[in-house]
């Protein structure tokens, strides 16, 4: 009896949520970009960004200082624009993520994992240093990025490299 009214109400909620979710993603992506710029200024003189909609970006560092030769970052937000996809992603434990890949000026002698660098446990989700390319891979959540974990991670890795690993 009220099927049409229910369908209209559900459609209105989903359409309204699209704009709310889109706004949230743009705001969070902007905060992530600002954090990346602030936390990488010690390691690169300039960052070039390519936006992928309002929910993601790819950044490439230029004017990189040793021990890094290359740093690239990709940020992706949860699909907040589509309520059902967002709720499923949250239920699966997914997060807004920043992935950093890079290479050192000299090849690392050994492999390292997050468990080998106790200072960073809990500050990043994943960290790998490898002799194969890319030499460096760091994955962190938006919350970790906003708490200066990117700068701390890059500093720890640079110190480790300078102390003889590379």
């Amino acid at each position: 009896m009220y099927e049409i009214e229910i369908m209209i109400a559900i459609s209105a909620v989903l359409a309204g949520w699209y704009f709310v979710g889109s706004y949230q993603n743009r705001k969070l992506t902007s905060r992530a970009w600002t954090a990346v710029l602030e936390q990488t200024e010690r390691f690169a003189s300039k960052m070039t960004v390519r936006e992928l909609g309002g929910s993601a970006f790819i950044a490439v560092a230029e004017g990189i200082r040793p021990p890094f030769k290359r740093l690239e970052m990709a940020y992706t937000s949860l699909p907040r624009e589509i309520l059902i996809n967002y709720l499923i992603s949250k239920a699966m434990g997914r997060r807004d993520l920043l992935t950093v890949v890079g290479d050192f000026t000299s090849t690392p002698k050994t492999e390292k994992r997050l468990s080998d660098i106790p200072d960073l446990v809990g500050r990043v989700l994943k960290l790998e240093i490898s002799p194969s390319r890319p030499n460096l891979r760091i994955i962190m959540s938006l919350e970790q990025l906003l708490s200066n974990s990117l700068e701390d991670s890059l500093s720890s890795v640079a110190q480790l490299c300078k102390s003889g690993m590379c």
Side-chain angles (χ1 to χ4, degrees), residues 106-166:
S106 58
T107 306
K109 296 177 177 106
T110 61
E111 288 189 7
K112 297 279 185 188
R113 303 270 183 237
L114 180 57
S115 58
D116 300 326
I117 309 170
D119 298 353
L120 298 178
V121 173
R123 302 203 58 155
V124 298
L125 299 174
K126 185 176 182 180
L127 184 137
E128 295 175 351
I129 298 172
S130 166
S132 62
R133 300 217 175 205
N135 299 142
L136 174 66
R137 182 178 307 273
I138 301 171
I139 299 174
M140 66 179 55
S141 68
L142 176 62
E143 294 81 20
Q144 291 168 330
L145 172 64
L146 295 176
S147 66
N148 291 333
S149 290
L150 177 59
E151 184 174 10
D152 295 342
S153 301
L154 292 174
S155 295
S156 293
V157 168
Q159 188 62 31
L160 195 62
C161 192
K162 289 176 183 176
S163 67
M165 186 189 70
C166 297

Side-chain angles (χ1 to χ4, degrees), residues 3-156:
E3 295 88 8
I4 296 206
E5 289 84 1
I6 292 171
M7 291 301 293
I8 290 171
I10 290 172
S11 297
V13 167
L14 293 176
W17 182 263
Y18 174 83
F19 294 104
V20 171
S22 180
Y23 174 76
Q24 285 179 332
N25 267 356
R26 287 186 186 282
K27 190 174 167 183
L28 290 173
T29 302
S30 175
R31 288 180 63 199
W33 174 239
T34 301
V36 165
L37 283 176
E38 290 172 354
Q39 295 180 51
T40 57
E41 63 187 6
R42 280 185 40 206
F43 307 100
S45 61
K46 182 179 175 185
M47 294 291 286
T48 303
V49 66
R50 188 175 87 194
E51 292 184 24
L52 305 172
S55 301
F57 64 79
I58 294 175
V60 178
E62 298 175 13
I64 302 168
R65 295 175 187 92
F68 301 106
K69 180 169 69 173
R70 177 181 72 99
L71 284 174
E72 295 178 6
M73 297 165 207
Y75 172 80
T76 56
S77 293
L78 290 173
R80 286 179 179 81
E81 295 93 344
I82 303 169
L83 180 60
I84 294 168
N85 288 358
Y86 176 64
L87 294 174
I88 290 170
S89 294
K90 289 294 278 185
M92 293 174 67
R94 294 189 177 158
R95 305 176 187 184
D96 302 316
L97 293 178
L98 178 74
T99 302
V100 180
V101 293
D103 291 315
F104 298 109
T105 52
S106 58
T107 306
K109 296 177 177 106
T110 61
E111 288 189 7
K112 297 279 185 188
R113 303 270 183 237
L114 180 57
S115 58
D116 300 326
I117 309 170
D119 298 353
L120 298 178
V121 173
R123 302 203 58 155
V124 298
L125 299 174
K126 185 176 182 180
L127 184 137
E128 295 175 351
I129 298 172
S130 166
S132 62
R133 300 217 175 205
N135 299 142
L136 174 66
R137 182 178 307 273
I138 301 171
I139 299 174
M140 66 179 55
S141 68
L142 176 62
E143 294 81 20
Q144 291 168 330
L145 172 64
L146 295 176
S147 66
N148 291 333
S149 290
L150 177 59
E151 184 174 10
D152 295 342
S153 301
L154 292 174
S155 295
S156 293

